[in-house]
């Protein structure tokens, strides 16, 4: 498929299903706003595919092309039908349909999204594979879902893992993207990840629009802050941090639902009590779908979403405090509907929750949530000290000032955001109040996701300052007003230019494990090396020296060649491994090789015991590892009779290990 069609495919897959679904729901009392509806539609669409894959698996169905093309096709048909009915109603009423958007903010938003999309494409245009270690298991999961036509259990032939309990939501969406575009799993992950990076900032518009009292320019500014000014989420591509990215597409939409349940109505909007039944049933359905999709996409971000629900409930309770007993309040009804939505989300995600017991994820979570000592709690808090490594100081200060001013001047925006931030911080650091669970929601996750909280108040604050300047201008000061408007336009243009340059150059090559030379050598391996080969690849120990991880393209060998390697996808720490796999032996192999110092006899003994038949050294030569040195330098192998050079492309090299010498002393 031509790359020029990718934007149309993206709309078909990730806008039309959710947009059409919203069209079947009762229109809210304060009416839809078109960009708001598109943003929520994106999140709903991305919640839908994981649930379809889950329930197809639960019912024993193959989730084939009907999952890929069905939602978009039904969405297109429903949208056409809704448009035809709307035109007929307008003709009968002898009226013209009024646009439900503000023209110039809409034009600015479209231009802004186009610029953000261009920067995301430009940043990765020369990458041959997704970056860093997380991308390895993301690509494998997508490949396995494509091959199995849905969810799977065994990771063969790529890895000796027997369960799949890792986040499935992101991979379901990348799978339909790969199937619709024809892209291979690794390229689908790379390009789909950049598409979702655009979505992750677009979905901030509905939240900003609502919290600001229906100010379209605040929504535009919030998207600009997150998409061009903030380093995150654009930087996620360097890490392959795609699951958190996918979850942060659903999170703002879920918070939007919470504000509709408990938040303050926009000025002039009628009370929802008049249409409470139909509206709140619809809102509960949307909330349940988004919450279930969030659970399937990222367990920790789902807990952040839960903190948001509590924050907005508390905010709603504070606002409704005078209308509580003796009569049931609007807050009570909203809370009951939220409870029903939570129950619905639990039912929708229930089969996946039952599936989690098959792996070791719950055991890992249990060990993390054990009572934390003071050092563990302190180590978690230290992560906030590195925030300035990911955000410029001026942006952090501006975010804090914006939140404080919003609490004072726009409490319906500032107060619930501050409550949410505070509760989420406590969820991540429960030891501060004597509770267990430190590390269950890592502070690093919050640090790199804080743009979600800051983008909206910064957008509001910039607009508020401009509005104050305009209000203080006398009626006769038209020139001054024009100058102020021109200054804002120039400032926004310069900011967009600066931000576009920052985002287009945001990729750090140090995180790229795979180079073109690696792909050429792996193609040779797939054609020339026996299928039962067992490779040794550069690797090192991470996560307190408990897990073996790769340090160059050798980690990708199973994906590109279907040959076994000594380093598994990092998910092996939470999945059930095949009985023949000894995790401790994997660790000891890395430790032994490093300790050998290249001694021939020691190397031979280690590789013979591990069943190694071949050695792969990637173009990076294993230098992505502390202490930034390869596990086994090429000099160790060049003059060693146990190794024979088979193929070389640049610094990417394949060696044969002579197992007939395993008995040599």
């Amino acid at each position: 498929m031509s790359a020029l069609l990718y934007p149309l495919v993206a709309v078909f897959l990730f806008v039309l299903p959710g947009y059409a679904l919203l069209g079947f729901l009762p229109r809210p009392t304060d009416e839809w706003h078109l960009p708001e509806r598109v943003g929520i539609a994106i999140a709903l669409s991305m919640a839908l595919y994981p649930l379809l894959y889950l329930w197809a698996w639960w019912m024993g169905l193959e989730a084939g092309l009907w999952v890929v093309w069905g939602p978009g096709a039904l969405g297109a048909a429903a949208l056409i039908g809704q448009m035809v009915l709307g035109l007929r109603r307008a003709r009968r009423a002898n009226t013209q349909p009024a646009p439900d958007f503000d023209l110039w903010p809409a034009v600015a938003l479209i231009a802004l999204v186009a610029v953000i999309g261009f920067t995301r494409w430009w940043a990765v245009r020369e990458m041959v594979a997704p970056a860093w270690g997380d991308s390895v298991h993301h690509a494998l999961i997508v490949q396995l879902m494509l091959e199995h036509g849905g969810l799977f259990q065994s990771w063969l032939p790529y890895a000796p893992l027997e369960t799949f309990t890792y986040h499935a939501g992101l991979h379901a969406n990348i799978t339909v993207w790969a199937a619709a575009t024809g892209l291979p799993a690794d390229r689908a992950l790379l390009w789909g990840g950049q598409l979702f990076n655009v979505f992750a900032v677009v979905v901030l518009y509905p939240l900003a629009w609502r919290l600001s009292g229906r100010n379209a320019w605040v929504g535009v500014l919030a998207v600009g802050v997150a998409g061009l000014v903030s380093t995150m989420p654009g930087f996620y591509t360097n890490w392959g941090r795609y699951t958190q990215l996918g979850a942060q597409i659903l999170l703002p939409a879920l918070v939007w639902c919470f504000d509709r349940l408990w938040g303050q109505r926009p000025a002039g909007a009628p009370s929802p009590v008049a249409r409470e039944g139909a509206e709140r049933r619809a809102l509960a359905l949307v909330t349940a779908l988004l919450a279930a999709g969030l659970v399937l996409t990222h367990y920790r971000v789902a807990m952040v979403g839960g903190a948001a629900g509590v924050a907005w409930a508390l905010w709603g309770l504070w606002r409704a405090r005078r209308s509580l007993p003796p009569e049931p309040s609007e807050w009570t009804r909203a809370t009951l509907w939220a409870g029903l939505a939570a129950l619905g989300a639990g039912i929708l995600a229930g089969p996946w929750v039952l599936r989690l017991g098959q792996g070791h994820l719950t055991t890992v979570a249990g060990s993390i949530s054990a009572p934390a000592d003071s050092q563990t709690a302190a180590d978690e808090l230290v992560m906030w000290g590195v925030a300035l490594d990911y955000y410029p100081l001026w942006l952090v200060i501006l975010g804090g000032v914006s939140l404080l001013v919003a609490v004072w001047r726009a409490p319906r925006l500032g107060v619930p955001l501050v409550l949410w931030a505070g509760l989420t911080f406590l969820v991540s650091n429960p030891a501060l109040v004597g509770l267990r669970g430190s590390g269950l929601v890592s502070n690093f996750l919050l640090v790199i996701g804080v743009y979600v909280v800051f983008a909206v108040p910064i957008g509001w604050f910039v607009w508020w300052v401009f509005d104050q300047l305009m209000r203080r201008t006398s009626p006769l000061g038209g020139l001054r007003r024009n100058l102020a408007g021109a200054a804002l336009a120039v400032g926004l243009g310069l900011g967009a230019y600066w931000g576009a340059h920052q985002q287009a150059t945001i990729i750090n090559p140090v995180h790229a494990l795979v180079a073109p030379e690696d792909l050429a050598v792996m193609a040779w391996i797939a054609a020339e090396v026996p299928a039962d080969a067992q490779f040794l690849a550069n690797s090192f120990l991470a996560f307190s020296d408990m897990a073996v991880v790769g340090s160059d393209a050798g980690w990708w060998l199973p994906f590109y060649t279907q040959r076994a390697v000594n380093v598994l996808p990092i998910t092996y720490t939470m999945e059930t491994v095949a009985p023949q796999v000894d995790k401790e032996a994997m660790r000891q192999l890395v430790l032994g090789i490093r300790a050998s110092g290249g001694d021939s006899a020691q190397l031979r003994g280690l590789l013979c015991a591990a069943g190694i038949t071949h050695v792969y050294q990637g173009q990076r030569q294993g230098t992505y590892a502390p202490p930034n040195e390869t596990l086994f330098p090429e000099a160790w192998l060049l003059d060693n009779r146990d190794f024979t050079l088979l193929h070389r492309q640049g610094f990417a090299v394949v060696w044969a290990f002579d197992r007939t010498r395993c008995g040599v002393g």
Side-chain angles (χ1 to χ4, degrees):
M1 177 183 291
S2 171
L4 296 175
L5 297 177
Y6 290 173
L8 295 179
V9 175
V11 171
F12 181 85
L13 294 176
F14 302 117
V15 178
L16 285 182
Y19 195 93
L21 177 60
L22 291 174
F24 284 110
L25 302 179
R27 294 178 69 85
T29 51
D30 54 345
E31 296 300 322
W32 284 110
H33 175 60
L34 181 59
E36 173 190 36
R37 183 168 171 174
V38 170
I40 302 302
I42 290 171
L44 267 179
S45 299
M46 293 194 66
L48 181 63
Y49 292 107
L51 292 171
L52 289 176
Y53 275 114
L54 173 62
W55 281 91
W57 166 78
W58 183 253
M59 293 186 292
L61 302 175
E62 181 175 343
L65 293 179
W66 66 271
V67 172
V68 177
W69 299 108
L74 291 174
L79 181 59
I80 292 172
Q82 293 163 14
M83 292 173 62
V84 170
L85 289 175
L87 290 173
R88 287 180 177 175
R89 293 193 193 99
R91 286 198 194 99
R92 285 197 296 266
N94 197 25
T95 60
Q96 292 292 328
D100 54 354
F101 59 88
D102 300 319
L103 178 60
W104 289 114
V107 170
L109 180 63
I110 293 171
L112 183 60
V113 172
V115 171
I116 294 171
F118 176 80
T119 65
R120 299 309 193 261
W121 166 77
W122 187 264
V124 301
R125 70 194 185 284
E126 296 180 351
M127 293 179 64
V128 298
W132 223 20
D134 283 357
S135 295
V136 176
H137 56 263
H138 294 326
L140 285 176
I141 293 170
V142 173
Q143 181 64 30
L144 285 162
M145 290 187 68
L146 287 169
E147 293 178 0
H148 287 264
L151 299 182
F152 59 91
Q153 291 286 19
S154 172
W155 292 56
L156 293 175
Y158 303 101
L161 307 181
E162 298 183 339
T163 60
F164 173 40
T165 59
Y166 186 71
H167 318 294
L170 178 277
H171 307 96
N173 284 294
I174 294 293
T175 298
V176 299
W177 171 250
T181 59
L183 288 167
D186 58 333
R187 304 298 292 177
L189 179 64
L190 180 63
W191 292 108
Q194 294 304 86
L195 172 66
F196 295 169
N197 211 300
V198 176
F199 287 167
V201 297
V202 169
V203 295
L204 291 172
Y205 182 96
L207 184 61
W209 153 264
R210 179 162 180 83
L211 293 182
S212 63
R214 306 174 75 179
N215 188 318
W217 283 111
V218 172
V220 172
L221 289 167
V223 171
V225 168
L228 294 177
V229 179
S230 173
T231 311
M232 306 296 165
F235 198 82
Y236 284 19
T237 307
N238 287 285
W239 299 320
R241 191 91 178 183
Y242 294 121
T243 47
Q244 182 174 347
L245 179 69
Q248 287 168 186
I249 297 172
L250 304 180
L251 181 62
L254 184 62
V255 176
W256 175 90
C257 290
F258 294 151
D259 194 75
R260 290 201 66 87
L261 280 167
W262 288 295
Q264 183 176 339
R265 294 187 302 278
S271 169
V273 175
R275 299 174 61 191
E276 177 185 359
E279 271 193 39
R280 286 206 161 133
R281 278 195 299 271
L283 184 58
L285 173 62
V286 172
T287 306
L289 287 170
L290 291 171
L294 185 56
V295 169
L296 295 180
T297 304
H298 202 288
Y299 311 128
R300 287 172 165 173
V301 178
M303 297 177 68
V304 175
V310 175
W312 258 264
L314 291 175
W315 165 239
L317 181 60
W318 171 257
R319 289 183 52 253
R321 63 194 182 280
R322 295 180 180 177
S323 60
L324 286 174
E327 296 295 331
S329 69
E330 185 178 321
W331 180 88
T332 304
R333 290 190 288 270
T335 304
L336 290 174
W337 280 108
L340 289 175
L343 177 62
I347 293 172
L348 289 171
W352 187 260
V353 175
L354 295 175
R355 182 182 170 118
L356 292 181
Q358 299 172 353
H360 299 294
L361 186 62
T362 53
T363 303
V364 172
S367 63
I368 293 175
S369 62
D373 55 37
S374 57
Q375 185 59 49
T376 302
D379 289 344
E380 273 294 311
L381 287 172
V382 164
M383 286 309 307
W384 288 98
V386 302
L388 295 181
D389 293 341
Y390 303 117
Y391 301 97
L393 177 61
W394 67 267
L395 186 64
V396 174
I397 295 174
L398 179 60
V401 170
S402 299
L403 267 177
L404 291 176
V405 176
V407 169
W408 169 45
R409 301 295 297 179
R412 66 161 298 181
L413 182 147
V415 172
L417 285 177
V418 169
L419 280 172
W420 182 23
L423 287 172
T424 303
F425 184 77
L426 286 179
V427 168
S428 188
N429 301 279
L432 295 177
V433 290
L435 299 176
R436 54 195 300 174
S438 293
L440 195 58
V441 177
S442 69
N443 281 271
F444 180 72
L445 179 142
L446 302 188
V447 168
I448 65 174
V450 76
Y451 76 89
V452 176
V453 176
F454 275 169
V456 174
I458 289 176
W460 169 85
F461 180 71
V462 171
W463 178 257
W464 179 78
V465 170
F466 175 72
D467 185 59
Q468 293 302 304
L469 292 174
M470 297 294 288
R471 288 175 182 270
R472 292 175 185 275
T473 304
S474 67
L476 299 178
L479 177 60
R480 291 171 60 191
R481 286 199 302 275
N482 291 336
L483 288 175
L488 178 64
V490 171
L492 292 177
L494 292 175
Y497 176 80
W498 171 83
H501 180 268
Q502 172 188 253
Q503 298 296 328
T505 58
I506 204 167
I507 299 300
N508 187 342
V510 74
H511 296 291
L513 298 183
V514 182
E517 293 84 354
D518 292 302
L519 295 183
V521 173
M522 288 191 190
W524 182 89
I525 292 172
E528 302 295 337
V529 175
D532 61 350
Q534 175 71 47
F535 275 84
L536 172 71
N538 278 301
S539 48
F540 66 104
L541 299 184
F543 304 108
S544 301
D545 289 348
M546 294 305 296
V548 179
V549 298
S551 53
D552 64 24
W555 207 355
W556 284 86
L557 273 165
F559 178 83
Y560 287 114
T561 71
Q562 296 189 18
R563 271 47 172 190
V565 69
N566 68 299
V567 55
L568 302 180
I570 193 61
T571 48
Y572 85 89
T573 58
M574 63 189 70
E575 304 290 1
T576 299
V577 299
Q580 71 272 18
V581 176
D582 187 337
K583 295 182 181 180
E584 181 57 26
M586 291 170 56
R587 289 182 66 253
Q588 292 302 322
L589 176 62
V590 174
L591 291 171
I593 292 174
R594 190 169 293 282
S596 73
D599 179 79
S600 296
Q602 291 187 50
L603 274 178
R604 184 186 312 122
L606 290 166
L607 271 57
C608 287
I612 300 299
T613 64
H614 293 76
V615 175
Y616 182 82
Q617 291 179 306
Q619 179 71 11
R620 291 287 303 274
Q621 288 285 295
T623 55
Y624 195 89
N628 198 33
E629 62 184 32
T630 181
L631 178 63
F632 42 90
E634 186 172 316
W636 290 8
L637 312 183
L638 280 173
D639 298 322
N640 191 324
R641 295 176 56 191
D642 297 336
F643 301 94
T644 302
L645 177 62
L646 295 181
H647 190 73
R648 176 190 293 274
Q649 186 85 25
F651 294 108
V653 188
V654 181
W655 304 81
F657 173 63
D658 187 359
R659 294 192 59 81
T660 63
R661 292 178 52 79
C662 284
V664 177

